[in-house]
């Protein structure tokens, strides 16, 4: 599904406590943060010139959501260490981190937060949240504050990633991570089925053939898995369309584009794998988390995923890194891309915006520091070596890649096929969640009904998606 909702639904709920960094006990990321009407947070006036550096005499307090919860001890330890290091340069900035029980961002909570204007000064979103945030007038235009001086590695950030955070040429956020989808495989099952785990299937015909061999192992093992519930089915139908060079919405953003020969090709292939080959298993109506459990327990050979699924399965499901590998998305024409970022609340002071850009630069946009301190992550027992996030270009990419490999805690060679054969990422469609909800019906129809009328499923979905797009 679109990155916005993808990350909300794909992360398991976890019991979390508000950290000691939090100054007030909070029950949600979206606890209100009042606008300071141009003052520096504690009442001291600062410069309104975006190009001027933050005055060290101006005291600023920033509320920032989605701080790691207490249940993620290593991540929280690193957050606190980064705050302390940041304060050596900016002792006048108080970082007030906020954590949330369960998922940090859930759709109803996120929507309610925006409508109530109760988002923190610096709030966590996903690339595809931008239209929703702007429709609620929730984010500040930070274009003038983001320069080569304030963000030294700005020119080394993938422009496509920054482009996901822009509208009408204005920048509304800074990235924390990005992803593109590929084919995640269970290396053990590949070997058991006589397949080469270092060369995952590169076409959908090869996927179908490999899935039959893996399912032929018996013992309830499925060769290929797909989602069909919770908007995740529509998300993956979109990814498959992209992989063949198709679209689910036309270039104008106003009309469905999947009721086509390519759409029928995707649908017919899935239906054939499910019913003719019996290679997708009998349990369907799966959503995010279900396929991860299957592949982690050697009951599934492969499915479409982002690379960070691997870290989740090891950390949360007790799997082993060496059991997994990745190849590029079959078809290879395009792949679905997404990511995460922070935005700055509209209406806060210029000094707060400057402080926010400084914090986000240190924490998320500095090679070798913050989230890219791979040596520290390794020492803290966190996963190192997952191919993404990786939005760096030029010298920054070379340096970060080298540090990542040097400190890897997993066999990075297992991702060689994925890394050596990059596929152009393509953003999710407009009104993604509503489109995906409709396309869930196509996926569930294909995978639960042997007599499914593919033409009717696509035609009905086309009408419904056109209605969704007409209400933009």
């Amino acid at each position: 599904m679109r990155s916005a909702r993808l990350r909300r639904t794909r992360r398991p709920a976890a019991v979390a406590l508000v950290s000691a960094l939090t100054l007030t006990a909070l029950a949600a990321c979206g606890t209100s943060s009042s606008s300071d009407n141009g003052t520096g947070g504690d009442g001291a006036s600062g410069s309104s010139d975006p190009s001027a550096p933050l005055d060290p005499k101006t005291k600023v307090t920033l509320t920032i959501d989605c701080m790691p919860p207490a249940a993620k001890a290593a991540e929280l330890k690193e957050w606190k260490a980064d705050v302390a290091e940041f304060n050596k340069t900016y002792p006048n900035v108080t970082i007030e981190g906020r954590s949330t029980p369960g998922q940090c961002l859930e759709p109803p909570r996120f929507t309610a937060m925006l409508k109530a204007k109760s988002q923190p000064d610096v709030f966590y979103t996903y690339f595809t949240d931008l239209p929703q945030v702007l429709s609620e007038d929730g984010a500040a235009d930070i274009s003038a504050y983001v320069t080569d001086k304030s963000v030294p590695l700005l020119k080394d950030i993938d422009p496509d990633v920054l482009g996901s955070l822009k509208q009408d040429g204005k920048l509304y956020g800074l990235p924390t991570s990005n992803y593109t989808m590929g084919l995640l495989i269970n290396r053990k099952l590949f070997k058991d089925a006589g397949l080469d785990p270092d060369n995952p299937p590169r076409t959908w015909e090869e996927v179908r053939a490999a899935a039959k061999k893996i399912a032929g192992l018996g013992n309830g093992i499925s060769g290929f898995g797909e989602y069909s519930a919770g908007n995740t089915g529509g998300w993956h139908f979109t990814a498959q369309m992209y992989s063949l060079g198709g679209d689910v919405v036309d270039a104008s953003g106003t009309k469905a584009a999947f009721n086509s020969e390519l759409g029928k090709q995707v649908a017919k292939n899935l239906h054939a794998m499910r019913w003719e080959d019996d290679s997708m298993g009998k349990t369907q109506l799966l959503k995010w988390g279900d396929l991860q459990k299957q592949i982690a327990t050697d009951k599934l050979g492969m499915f479409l995923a982002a690379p960070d699924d691997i870290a989740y399965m090891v950390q949360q499901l007790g799997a082993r890194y060496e059991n997994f590998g990745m190849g590029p998305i079959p078809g290879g024409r395009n792949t679905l891309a997404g990511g995460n970022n922070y935005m700055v609340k509209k209406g806060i002071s210029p000094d707060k915006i400057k402080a926010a850009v400084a914090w986000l630069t240190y924490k998320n946009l500095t090679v070798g520091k913050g989230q890219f301190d791979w040596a520290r992550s390794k020492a803290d027992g966190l996963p190192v070596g997952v191919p993404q996030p990786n939005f760096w270009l030029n010298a920054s990419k070379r340096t970060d890649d080298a540090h990542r490999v040097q400190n890897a805690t997993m066999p990075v060679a297992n991702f060689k096929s994925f890394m050596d054969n990059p596929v152009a990422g393509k953003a999710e469609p407009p009104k993604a969640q509503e489109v995906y909800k409709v396309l869930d019906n196509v996926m569930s129809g294909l995978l639960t009904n042997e007599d499914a009328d593919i033409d009717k499923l696509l035609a009905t979905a086309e009408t419904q998606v056109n209605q969704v797009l007409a209400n933009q």
Side-chain angles (χ1 to χ4, degrees), residues 69 167 196 287 355 409 424 452:
Q167 183 166 303
D196 182 0
K287 57 185 183 299
T409 59

Side-chain angles (χ1 to χ4, degrees), residues 21 35 46 59 89 96 105 142-143 145 202 211 271 277 280 312 316 342 366 375 387 412:
L21 284 176
S35 171
K59 292 185 178 180
T89 303
E96 186 179 323
L105 290 181
I142 61 173
S143 306
Y145 296 86
R202 297 287 295 275
H271 190 265
D277 303 345
M280 295 184 67
Y312 163 74
Q316 302 295 324
Y342 273 98
T366 304
V412 293

Side-chain angles (χ1 to χ4, degrees), residues 387-407:
Q388 296 166 345
N390 200 339
F391 46 70
W392 297 117
L393 302 174
N394 309 318
S396 293
K397 176 174 176 58
R398 291 190 292 272
T399 301
D400 184 64
D401 284 350
H403 289 172
R404 194 186 303 239
V405 171
Q406 180 181 354
N407 294 286

Side-chain angles (χ1 to χ4, degrees), residues 418-431:
F418 179 81
M419 295 298 293
D420 289 353
N421 301 281
V423 177
K426 190 171 182 176
E428 293 172 277
K431 307 284 280 190

Side-chain angles (χ1 to χ4, degrees), residues 93-137:
V93 179
T94 299
I95 301 295
E96 186 179 323
R98 294 177 172 177
S99 187
T100 305
Q103 293 174 316
C104 181
L105 290 181
E106 297 167 343
R109 177 186 293 156
F110 185 72
T111 298
M113 178 184 75
L114 290 175
K115 289 186 177 298
K117 311 296 183 187
S118 63
Q119 66 268 40
D121 300 322
V122 186
F123 62 102
Y124 192 67
T125 76
Y126 302 92
F127 290 174
T128 46
D129 280 331
L130 182 58
Q132 181 184 5
V133 173
L134 294 184
S135 72
E136 298 293 343
D137 204 25

Side-chain angles (χ1 to χ4, degrees), residues 137-286:
D137 204 25
D141 172 10
I142 61 173
S143 306
Y145 296 86
V146 178
T147 67
D148 291 339
K149 289 185 178 180
S150 62
V151 185
L153 298 182
L154 182 62
K155 291 182 178 179
D156 281 359
I157 299 174
D158 186 337
D160 289 337
V161 171
L162 286 177
S164 299
L165 305 174
K166 292 180 179 179
Q167 183 166 303
D168 299 326
K170 298 177 181 179
L171 181 66
Y172 290 96
L174 289 172
T176 63
S177 67
N178 65 319
Y179 74 90
T180 56
M181 293 179 66
L183 186 69
L184 178 62
I185 70 165
N186 181 303
R187 291 177 60 86
K188 177 182 181 301
L189 294 182
F190 261 63
K191 292 176 182 177
D192 290 349
L195 300 166
D196 182 0
D198 294 325
N199 292 287
R202 297 287 295 275
T203 68
W204 286 106
E205 291 79 9
E206 291 176 356
V207 168
R208 184 175 177 183
K212 289 175 68 174
K213 289 186 177 181
I214 295 169
L217 296 171
N219 298 317
I221 295 171
S222 300
F224 181 74
E226 262 302 359
Y227 301 127
S228 53
N231 296 16
T232 56
W235 168 48
H236 269 210
F237 186 89
T238 298
Q240 291 208 32
M241 286 292 292
Y242 284 4
S243 77
L244 296 173
D247 276 307
V248 295
V249 174
D250 71 4
S252 72
T254 61
K255 187 177 180 181
F258 54 80
N259 189 11
S260 62
E261 287 307 310
L262 278 182
K264 292 175 183 178
Q265 180 180 332
V266 169
K268 289 177 180 178
N269 185 60
L270 285 169
H271 190 265
M273 291 176 69
R274 169 69 177 94
W275 300 104
E276 294 177 25
D277 303 345
D278 194 22
S279 64
M280 295 184 67
K282 294 179 173 54
T283 302
Q284 296 299 326
L285 300 179
L286 305 175

Side-chain angles (χ1 to χ4, degrees), residues 276-317:
E276 294 177 25
D277 303 345
D278 194 22
S279 64
M280 295 184 67
K282 294 179 173 54
T283 302
Q284 296 299 326
L285 300 179
L286 305 175
K287 57 185 183 299
W288 201 95
D290 295 328
L291 296 179
Q292 288 78 359
K293 291 175 183 176
Q294 290 181 9
I295 202 168
T297 54
D298 298 333
K299 291 298 183 181
L300 175 64
M302 52 188 162
F303 72 102
L304 298 182
D308 64 350
D309 276 16
I310 298 170
Y312 163 74
M313 291 186 294
V314 172
Q315 291 185 300
Q316 302 295 324
L317 303 179

